[in-house]
Amino acid sequence: MSKLIEAVRGGRTDDVVTIVNGMTAAERRGELPALKALRKEFRDAWVTPQLQAASPALLVAGVAGQSGAAAVASWLTASGWERMWVAEKRFIPMLEERPAEWLTELAHRIAERLRQSPYLRPMVAGLFTAGGTGQALNSGHSNKDNPWLLALARLTAEGTLDRATMVDGCLGRLLRGGTAVDQRVFHRLLLDLDLSAEEHAGRVADWLALAADALQPVAVHVQSVLAELALTGSLPTHDLADMTRAVLTRPEKNLVRAQLKLLDKVVTRDTATADALLPAASHALTHEDTEAQERALKLIERHGTHLTDALSREEILTSAAPIAPGLRTRVVEALGTGAEEALQAAGEDTLPPVPSPVALASPPASVAETAEETGALLASHGILPVADFERTLDGLVRWAHEDRAALLEALEPVAATRWWSRTCRRPLPDDSVPSAFAPSHVRFTPRLALDLVLAGLHQRITPRTAKAVLDGGGAHAGCLPDGPFRARFWEIAHRLLTDPQPFLLSTPSWDNGLLEPGELTDRLKTYQRLGAHVGACDFAQALLRVRTTDRAAAEAAAERAALLGTPEGRRLADWLRTGGLTGTVLHRAVTDRTTPVVRSGEITALHMFPLAFRELGSPALGSHHRCWCAATAAVQQTHWPALLPEHPELIALRLIQHVLPCARYPEKDPDVCSVLPLLAQSPGASGPATSLVVAGGLGVQRQEDRIAAVDALLLLAAQKKLDPGALATDLGALMLIGIVAPSRLAESLGTAASAGAYRTVWTVLRDALPPLLSKDLSPAESRGLGELLTVAAECAERTGAQGVIPGLDPIAARRGSSRLVSQARRLRAALAGT
């Protein structure tokens, strides 16, 4: 074996270069047979790390041994080379030593081989899906004269590449978005492909999508394409209207103005298009470009008489609601009689519908269905819906009582995947069970609760351990209502080990956690007939869920429950007659530092409940101080409203100390506000705790959490459960002490307003702003206040609000044109009706 072949086999590329540099041309050619044999050997072998290392060395040796351009081209373009980029650094300097004519011939031969390659089309198609290709194609070239793009366009024009694939690939990459370089490169390629009018017309949906979101240079081109189609009659009017709405949301003045100019041409040519196009144009009435506003207004004035559809007029009036009174007057005059009354109606809130409660489906009808649903819940990610969770839990309890052996057999595939069953079949050590399922450092999520129930069912826990934990209050972590949540499942696990229940008393009737009083009475009657023992925690949870606000149903159920003659029947009757926890009152207070807090007193109705539930009645304080309790997982908290469906205030009180700190510590509790919309939908009344926790949620740092708080705000408003004055007081106080930043609040309230709650948001801001405006704020403290005034001004303009905001005039009278000053002037003008 020669030194060269030995170096190639060893993958020593640098040694290969040294060896061939010391050889004559004849000596290099003499090695070619061995090199070709080695290449065949490599092609026939499995790809291994040794082969990957040797492949670049073989490639370099072969290039050095060839003399003709055709031979080198054949060697380079052969298939099967591994890690070719490693070899490039070595053989390119060798090629650069050859004459220019030889290099030109090599380039042409390589290009011709690539042109004829069966892999050319799939390789080029990969350019549109692989990341970073735009940057690679752009490297070292100007965008207009990029040789790569010109070559691709030429190959497409001659039919070597499929034209439809190339065009769709460019559009797909532009629609996908990405870096500015990517967008420019694929846009340039699209221009080089020189699409025909038919190709433009066949891809209208793609152009419309790009008009809304593409980079400005791309959007300008797209606008010209769609404009040409519109002016030649190839673009349907409804598509032009959709395009207009998309373009008018963009900030680029040139695009907006050009779009309005296009609409003027189209409507002038065909007045029948006014009903579709003028409402779309009216969206420019609120654009930040005042010239665009004026052009839209003139367009409506010029063509308003051509409107025939009442819905079109209504959309224009809705768009005109937030603009200055003088401009609104011109819109009214352009639209004619009746517009003024409709414009006033446009200022009313349009709030989202409140989801109706959904009744729980019947329990799983078989052990197979129970096992399947249990496995699905354990394997899923994110939050487990209360309805699915409670229904499956009840199924496990029912079938464990009905046919335990069959249920265990059906659950074998599920149990095999769980951590508590993978070590051995004996029970877990008693001293490890509490630390596995219940300590403060473990978040007791619904999935962990199912694991606990399954571990009890499979006798992986001893009855003694379950009883000890249950007697200790469920090993609660001290963060209520985590304690009742845990205790309920420890009791279920203990009963599965000792005395399986026929079913759960506490399974709710509805997905919001409510349990109908008549249904609970029927369950107690069945327990009495079967001689079943009532679990203390199960019954306690049932009492907290039973509906008491429907007094007629409660009284009827109470009479039936009393006739049972059992202790639980008498307790249920008393609970229903007295209204359960009805009358529990929470109070809003202010500390010495003007920090809002909410307090609850002793709830004596819970004194007879099990230990874990009893602590719900202890005096509690909700404030901005951080709670270091582990029981703050969103997947757990979203089940809390269903524990006390008629008393969301008791849940909100305990959420305050988790939500408010997230305005300062963004990583403390991700998704901490995901529970707020569920809390807002609770059938019980809201109060000061709900107000404070929503106020804090509107100002937390994570955008996803702020959106959840906005949803809660809208749901409360839609149910007329929102107290705008209380929310304004809480927001003003939280801003003053620096917990809620005005900029984040502006984003949240702006989102709520744009969802249709302009009047609600204005009512809140009207009372929340004065304490902040009247205070002598430092530059840091006033940061974001301009954005908040922007939202207030928009709401005031849209709703036609008038009056005086204390503290606003001194800011509006300042010199300069900062956002704070300019928006203060805007708000003052709106409130003055000018």
Side-chain angles (χ1 to χ4, degrees):
M1 182 186 301
S2 68
K3 290 184 178 180
L4 179 62
I5 299 301
E6 183 180 352
V8 169
R9 283 191 176 279
R12 303 194 306 273
T13 307
D14 289 338
D15 289 351
V16 168
V17 174
T18 302
I19 292 170
V20 296
N21 285 340
M23 299 172 69
T24 66
E27 289 172 334
R28 293 179 184 179
R29 286 194 297 273
E31 296 283 358
L32 280 175
L35 293 173
K36 291 179 179 178
L38 194 58
R39 183 176 68 178
K40 184 178 185 305
E41 178 186 333
F42 284 2
R43 283 178 175 172
D44 295 341
W46 289 98
V47 176
T48 63
Q50 292 77 14
L51 186 150
Q52 290 179 332
S55 184
L58 176 59
L59 183 57
V60 171
V63 170
Q66 313 281 354
S67 58
V72 173
S74 177
W75 185 266
L76 288 174
T77 56
S79 62
W81 293 118
E82 297 285 340
R83 301 173 65 194
M84 188 172 185
W85 65 91
V86 176
E88 290 175 357
K89 300 176 182 179
R90 309 301 195 283
F91 71 71
I92 288 179
M94 296 178 179
L95 297 178
E96 290 175 344
E97 298 174 356
R98 306 291 181 99
E101 295 79 5
W102 187 94
L103 290 173
T104 301
E105 182 183 355
L106 175 65
H108 280 290
R109 288 184 178 274
I110 291 176
E112 189 60 33
R113 289 177 183 275
L114 292 175
R115 186 191 299 272
Q116 296 172 359
S117 171
Y119 303 108
L120 177 63
R121 287 192 175 190
M123 180 179 68
V124 172
L127 293 175
F128 302 112
T129 57
T133 51
Q135 181 68 45
L137 291 172
N138 188 66
S139 180
H141 305 290
S142 68
N143 200 36
K144 187 174 183 180
D145 300 318
N146 189 314
W148 288 108
L149 304 183
L150 294 174
L152 290 171
R154 186 163 58 248
L155 290 171
T156 304
E158 67 186 30
T160 302
L161 296 176
D162 180 67
R163 184 170 182 83
T165 299
M166 295 298 291
V167 174
D168 291 340
C170 288
L171 287 172
R173 193 58 182 255
L174 293 174
L175 288 167
R176 171 178 157 184
T179 66
V181 171
D182 264 5
Q183 296 280 289
R184 287 197 300 267
V185 166
F186 289 104
H187 178 226
R188 182 70 253 173
L189 178 56
L190 188 66
L191 294 176
D192 290 340
L193 291 173
D194 192 20
L195 273 63
S196 65
E198 291 75 15
E199 288 174 317
H200 284 150
R203 292 171 170 82
V204 167
D206 294 333
W207 302 125
L208 291 174
L210 289 172
D213 300 319
L215 290 179
Q216 182 177 9
V218 180
V220 169
H221 169 233
V222 169
Q223 187 180 48
S224 67
V225 169
L226 291 172
E228 182 65 25
L229 294 175
L231 294 174
T232 57
S234 301
L235 182 68
T237 302
H238 66 86
D239 284 335
L240 178 56
D242 290 342
M243 171 204 176
T244 299
R245 291 184 176 89
V247 170
L248 296 185
T249 62
R250 300 182 64 113
E252 297 93 344
K253 297 177 182 179
N254 61 326
L255 287 171
V256 173
R257 295 174 185 178
Q259 190 68 22
L260 294 171
K261 184 177 181 181
L262 170 64
L263 295 186
D264 192 21
K265 291 181 180 180
V266 174
V267 178
T268 299
R269 181 177 300 180
D270 182 4
T271 57
T273 62
D275 281 322
L277 299 184
L278 291 189
S282 69
H283 287 251
L285 291 172
T286 54
H287 198 275
E288 60 184 16
D289 178 25
T290 54
E291 183 175 336
Q293 296 175 14
E294 184 63 26
R295 290 191 181 195
L297 187 53
K298 288 182 177 179
L299 189 62
I300 294 170
E301 290 174 328
R302 189 177 302 122
H303 301 289
T305 55
H306 301 135
L307 290 169
T308 60
D309 187 1
L311 292 178
S312 298
R313 292 160 55 87
E314 183 178 340
E315 182 174 347
I316 295 174
L317 292 170
T318 300
S319 298
I323 64 178
L327 299 180
R328 286 205 301 265
T329 300
R330 290 173 60 183
V331 173
V332 170
E333 292 173 349
L335 297 183
T337 306
E340 181 64 39
E341 293 76 11
L343 187 60
Q344 292 174 354
E348 298 298 325
D349 278 356
T350 305
L351 297 169
V354 180
S356 299
V358 177
L360 258 67
S362 300
S366 65
V367 292
E369 184 181 351
T370 301
E372 180 181 354
E373 294 186 6
T374 302
L377 289 177
L378 289 171
S380 64
H381 299 283
I383 294 170
L384 300 184
V386 170
D388 296 343
F389 177 77
E390 292 285 350
R391 178 176 176 272
T392 302
L393 180 66
D394 189 42
L396 286 169
V397 172
R398 285 174 182 268
W399 285 106
H401 180 271
E402 182 76 17
D403 193 343
R404 187 188 190 102
L407 178 61
L408 288 172
E409 182 180 356
L411 285 170
E412 278 186 4
V414 177
T417 66
R418 309 314 297 167
W419 57 270
W420 45 263
S421 71
R422 287 200 289 260
T423 53
C424 63
R425 292 295 178 185
R426 295 191 302 273
L428 297 168
D430 284 349
D431 58 353
S432 71
V433 172
S435 63
F437 288 105
S440 59
H441 65 274
V442 171
R443 296 186 170 191
F444 196 77
T445 65
R447 287 184 185 81
L448 189 57
L450 281 180
D451 268 319
L452 175 60
V453 171
L454 291 177
L457 179 65
H458 287 79
Q459 297 183 327
R460 300 286 281 121
I461 302 171
T462 65
R464 180 179 61 184
T465 300
K467 182 67 163 56
V469 174
L470 190 58
D471 288 345
H476 57 83
C479 180
L480 300 173
D482 181 54
F485 188 78
R486 290 173 182 250
R488 182 181 177 221
F489 295 100
W490 277 106
E491 182 182 81
I492 292 172
H494 181 257
R495 292 293 297 272
L496 288 171
L497 290 163
T498 58
D499 179 21
Q501 300 160 266
F503 52 81
L504 292 175
L505 295 171
S506 56
T507 301
S509 307
W510 304 90
D511 63 344
N512 59 13
L514 269 182
L515 172 57
E516 293 300 332
E519 190 170 351
L520 178 54
T521 304
D522 291 341
R523 292 175 186 175
L524 284 176
K525 186 174 182 179
T526 303
Y527 260 61
Q528 182 186 41
R529 178 173 57 81
L530 296 174
H533 170 64
V534 174
C537 293
D538 186 28
F539 186 55
Q541 178 61 86
L543 290 179
L544 294 178
R545 282 179 167 166
V546 72
R547 186 196 297 270
T548 62
T549 52
D550 184 343
R551 295 312 303 158
E555 291 291 344
E559 185 175 348
R560 291 177 53 219
L563 293 175
L564 294 176
T566 62
E568 290 79 18
R570 288 191 292 272
R571 280 192 64 191
L572 175 59
D574 290 343
W575 185 267
L576 293 173
R577 286 166 177 160
T578 59
L581 297 182
T582 301
T584 300
V585 177
L586 279 67
H587 301 280
R588 185 181 185 278
V590 177
T591 66
D592 294 339
R593 298 180 58 199
T594 68
T595 303
V597 298
V598 177
R599 301 178 186 274
S600 72
E602 187 86 13
I603 303 177
T604 58
L606 293 174
H607 284 179
M608 299 300 294
F609 277 54
L611 175 61
F613 290 80
R614 210 178 305 155
E615 294 190 17
L616 280 171
S618 301
L621 174 70
S623 72
H624 71 287
H625 294 294
R626 297 184 73 177
C627 175
W628 296 97
C629 173
T632 55
V635 292
Q636 175 185 4
Q637 290 184 349
T638 49
H639 281 244
W640 286 4
L643 303 183
L644 288 160
E646 286 193 333
H647 303 281
E649 279 288 273
L650 291 175
I651 303 296
L653 176 67
R654 288 158 174 86
L655 286 171
I656 292 172
Q657 59 188 342
H658 297 301
V659 173
L660 264 61
C662 289
R664 292 177 172 174
Y665 309 102
E667 300 303 323
K668 181 182 181 291
D669 289 323
D671 299 321
V672 69
C673 293
S674 57
V675 65
L676 296 186
L678 297 176
L679 200 67
Q681 295 175 58
S682 293
S686 63
T690 301
S691 174
L692 184 55
V693 78
V694 170
L698 294 172
V700 296
Q701 294 200 23
R702 293 184 74 251
Q703 184 181 31
E704 297 87 344
D705 281 322
R706 294 200 299 273
I707 291 174
V710 169
D711 290 341
L713 169 66
L714 295 174
L715 287 167
L716 289 171
Q719 300 170 89
K720 301 188 184 304
K721 292 166 62 174
L722 179 71
D723 183 343
L727 181 61
T729 300
D730 290 332
L731 286 172
L734 293 176
M735 284 190 290
L736 278 176
I737 61 176
I739 291 180
V740 168
S743 58
R744 291 198 291 269
L745 180 60
E747 182 181 336
S748 297
L749 292 182
T751 301
S754 62
Y758 287 97
R759 189 169 295 281
T760 297
V761 172
W762 165 248
T763 305
V764 171
L765 284 176
R766 179 191 62 197
D767 296 332
L769 283 171
L772 206 61
L773 297 177
S774 302
K775 184 181 177 183
D776 186 15
L777 300 174
S778 67
E781 291 175 322
S782 63
R783 187 178 298 118
L785 186 53
E787 287 88 339
L788 200 57
L789 288 179
T790 300
V791 177
E794 183 177 358
C795 292
E797 290 170 349
R798 182 174 286 269
T799 60
Q802 295 186 355
V804 176
I805 299 291
L808 182 64
D809 285 347
I811 297 176
R814 294 178 187 174
R815 295 181 178 180
S817 57
S818 67
R819 184 164 194 172
L820 175 61
V821 173
S822 62
Q823 293 305 309
R825 293 169 183 162
R826 176 188 173 191
L827 177 56
R828 183 176 62 177
L831 295 176
T834 58

